[in-house]
Amino acid sequence: MLKIESNLKPEINLKTPLPGPESRKIIEKEEKYLATGTKCWDTPAVPSEGKGIWFKDVDSNTLMDWTNGMVVILAHSHPKWIEANIEQFQKLVYFNSPDFPNQLQADLAEQLVQLTPGDFPKKVFFASSGTESVEAALKVARIGTKKNIVVHWLGDFHGRTAGSLSTTASKSVQRLDYTFALGNTYALPYAYCYRCWYKMEYPSCDIYCAQIMERYFKTLIPPDNVAAIIFEPVQGEGGYVVPPLEFFDVLKEISNKYGILLIADEVQTCFGKSGKWFACEHFNVVPHIVCMAKGLANGAAMGATTFPSEYDFSRQGMHSNTFGGQLLSCASSLSTIKIIKEQKLLENVRRIGERFREKLLEMKDKYECIGDVRTLGVLIGIEFVKDKERKEPAMELRNRILEECFQMGLLMISCGESTIRITPSFVITAEEVDLGLKILSKAIEKSMKD
């Protein structure tokens, strides 16, 4: 068995200015050859190896990583996960899983059917990304119900391919010059209580943002033509927005009243980031369809969609792909599930999430620039404002804070208009949380003076 060795020490060690000379060479090459996407050019980390929540860049600088837990939920280079992948790599890498059966695909499908909420017969479609899992969900819902409209929410991010993009509404640039391909969807304001679209206050609002759907059904959207309502239980790209529990109570009522399917996009939240396997479990909602990716296979390319068996495709060939159920990804996902259970990592997520929450609320009281703190497990958003009374977004300040953190050895990224998102891996320790928050505090103080 191949043995993986790493000399990476779990401590911040900066040997060059960031980015260093070797990093700059790679950044310049990528700028020349890569299509414009979503690169963080303000904080251009160029990694060479990682261990736990730490990584070393190509200039031998060691930094703390609070970004890749969005996908690498077990952290970089988890030894048991690596062992499972090497074992599969030595057996078989690819054997056209969409066309031929295999044990790993069957076992993982069984596990996902058992783990996803809902005690009803389900089936699974395997994909290689989140946007593909959403495409499958939309297709299942529309074909299965023989309806064509999908309702979604402002602030949601579901992907960038045509179908999923038609339900994405977090940044208008994502649709720029491509609106001709989108249709049959309607976006309503989400339950973003800190920035209520209707200028109301929770809970006296009576969840107006969900109740208003009935008015849309009377004036604009024929409910008999609505196949599904798709939602993120916690909006990711939109700012790590955590809705109130009652929001989903209303959605359930509407779903039952009109026979509309509920699609939970758990691509960013799945496999425990909320402290439960799926974030929708916190809100007592059982979706008909669940979309998964990112942490599903701890970094291997994997997406999946579970849906009621009654909505299975009626004929072969109606939907398929090339890399769905790929052997390495299935092995990765199965080992991820096993490790989470064996090492009781969901308990650590809840424990660490509460530590983040307590300390960030203390920082909110201390700093005028922190308008809101939103947490659910290790789904953590810190929204920055110019002043707390007017709540004007402080995007430039947020960006300076991110840069200052990077220069001190802590890597984070943004979301929403002026929010920092923190998504550490499940193995992060209390000491590492405290160290990172000390850096964040220093960065805030320095940025406020500039």
Side-chain angles (χ1 to χ4, degrees):
M1 182 67 69
L2 179 65
K3 191 173 182 181
I4 304 294
E5 296 286 353
S6 175
N7 296 318
L8 196 158
K9 293 182 180 180
E11 60 185 27
I12 292 173
N13 184 6
L14 303 179
K15 298 182 177 181
T16 73
L18 298 175
E22 294 303 314
S23 294
R24 290 186 181 280
K25 292 178 185 177
I26 295 171
I27 292 166
E28 289 173 5
K29 182 181 287 188
E30 286 206 349
E31 286 181 320
K32 182 177 180 179
Y33 293 113
L34 281 186
T36 299
T38 57
K39 281 283 190 283
C40 298
W41 294 119
D42 292 335
T43 52
V46 184
S48 62
E49 64 174 302
K51 185 177 182 181
I53 66 159
W54 302 87
F55 73 98
K56 185 178 288 187
D57 73 6
V58 292
D59 294 287
S60 296
N61 298 300
T62 303
L63 298 87
M64 184 185 292
D65 178 11
W66 279 10
T67 69
N68 284 291
M70 193 185 303
V71 174
V72 188
I73 57 178
L74 302 179
H76 300 296
S77 305
H78 192 291
K80 288 193 174 182
W81 183 84
I82 289 176
E83 185 178 322
N85 277 269
I86 291 174
E87 183 180 347
Q88 182 57 43
F89 207 101
Q90 292 173 330
K91 290 179 179 178
L92 196 62
V93 173
Y94 179 82
F95 200 94
N96 193 2
S97 297
D99 287 354
F100 298 98
N102 69 69
Q103 185 72 55
L104 294 177
Q105 181 174 234
D107 290 347
L108 181 57
E110 181 182 39
Q111 290 258 15
L112 294 182
V113 163
Q114 293 170 354
L115 285 174
T116 49
D119 185 18
F120 52 84
K122 305 169 194 164
K123 289 201 170 184
V124 182
F125 176 79
F126 284 118
S128 55
S129 68
T131 192
E132 195 180 353
S133 72
V134 171
E135 293 283 354
L138 297 175
K139 196 169 183 179
V140 165
R142 283 170 163 149
I143 293 175
T145 63
K146 296 180 173 58
K147 304 174 184 178
N148 208 28
I149 294 173
V150 174
V151 175
H152 59 112
W153 305 92
L154 296 175
D156 272 5
F157 180 85
H158 299 295
R160 291 184 175 87
T161 50
S164 62
L165 182 60
S166 71
T167 60
T168 288
S170 55
K171 291 183 174 70
S172 62
V173 69
Q174 294 155 347
R175 293 166 168 249
L176 184 63
D177 296 336
Y178 202 63
T179 54
F180 67 90
L182 313 178
N184 291 315
T185 64
Y186 294 88
L188 277 61
Y190 194 64
Y192 189 174
C193 294
Y194 182 68
R195 296 190 180 281
C196 177
W197 291 80
Y198 302 103
K199 306 297 183 183
M200 295 182 177
E201 294 288 335
Y202 172 80
S204 61
C205 62
D206 194 30
I207 315 298
Y208 185 75
C209 54
Q211 302 282 5
I212 198 173
M213 192 178 296
E214 290 280 11
R215 294 183 64 182
Y216 277 91
F217 285 171
K218 291 177 181 178
T219 58
L220 179 66
I221 307 171
D224 291 343
N225 295 143
V226 178
I229 301 169
I230 187 169
F231 62 90
E232 291 178 279
V234 176
Q235 282 192 338
E237 179 72 15
Y240 272 32
V241 178
V242 182
L245 181 66
E246 300 93 330
F247 178 74
F248 291 103
D249 291 339
V250 178
L251 289 195
K252 286 186 291 186
E253 291 175 7
I254 290 173
S255 167
N256 293 333
K257 180 178 179 179
Y258 295 103
I260 297 171
L261 300 182
L262 294 177
I263 302 174
D265 181 343
E266 296 260 7
V267 167
Q268 189 161 163
T269 53
C270 77
F271 268 24
K273 298 186 190 83
S274 69
K276 298 191 178 203
W277 286 100
F278 296 93
C280 61
E281 296 178 76
H282 288 275
F283 303 102
N284 300 322
V285 59
V286 177
H288 302 88
I289 302 174
V290 178
C291 305
M292 295 161 268
K294 296 191 187 295
L296 177 61
N298 192 49
M302 166 68 87
T305 310
T306 60
F307 55 89
S309 297
E310 64 184 290
Y311 291 114
D312 193 12
F313 299 108
S314 61
R315 296 185 186 180
Q316 287 196 12
M318 289 178 69
H319 199 61
S320 188
N321 56 17
T322 299
F323 291 104
Q326 201 257 103
L327 290 163
L328 281 175
S329 295
C330 286
S332 297
S333 190
L334 285 166
S335 63
T336 300
I337 295 170
K338 184 178 180 182
I339 291 166
I340 290 173
K341 289 180 176 180
E342 288 180 347
Q343 298 186 1
K344 296 181 170 51
L345 291 181
L346 296 189
E347 294 178 10
N348 193 55
V349 167
R350 292 191 286 270
R351 183 167 53 250
I352 289 298
E354 186 56 35
R355 190 177 191 88
F356 267 113
R357 178 175 175 78
E358 290 176 0
K359 291 186 174 292
L360 286 171
L361 286 175
E362 291 175 4
M363 291 174 66
K364 178 187 174 186
D365 291 338
K366 181 179 180 181
Y367 298 117
E368 178 66 22
C369 64
I370 297 181
D372 198 24
V373 169
R374 300 182 285 269
T375 70
L376 189 64
V378 291
L379 297 163
I380 301 162
I382 312 166
E383 183 161 353
F384 291 87
V385 294
K386 294 181 179 179
D387 68 75
K388 290 185 178 180
E389 184 176 348
R390 291 184 299 163
K391 300 182 182 180
E392 186 178 350
M395 182 187 296
E396 291 182 2
L397 174 63
R398 187 270 313 273
N399 293 344
R400 287 200 302 272
I401 292 168
L402 285 173
E403 178 64 24
E404 291 295 339
C405 284
F406 179 58
Q407 294 302 327
M408 288 187 275
L410 173 62
L411 185 68
M412 294 187 292
I413 57 175
S414 64
C415 63
E417 192 172 0
S418 61
T419 299
I420 287 177
R421 73 175 117 187
I422 299 175
T423 56
S425 299
F426 294 179
V427 301
I428 190 172
T429 65
E431 292 75 22
E432 290 168 333
V433 171
D434 293 349
L435 173 59
L437 291 180
K438 284 181 182 178
I439 293 172
L440 175 59
S441 184
K442 290 179 182 178
I444 290 173
E445 291 175 0
K446 187 175 188 306
S447 299
M448 290 175 69
K449 294 176 182 177
D450 291 345

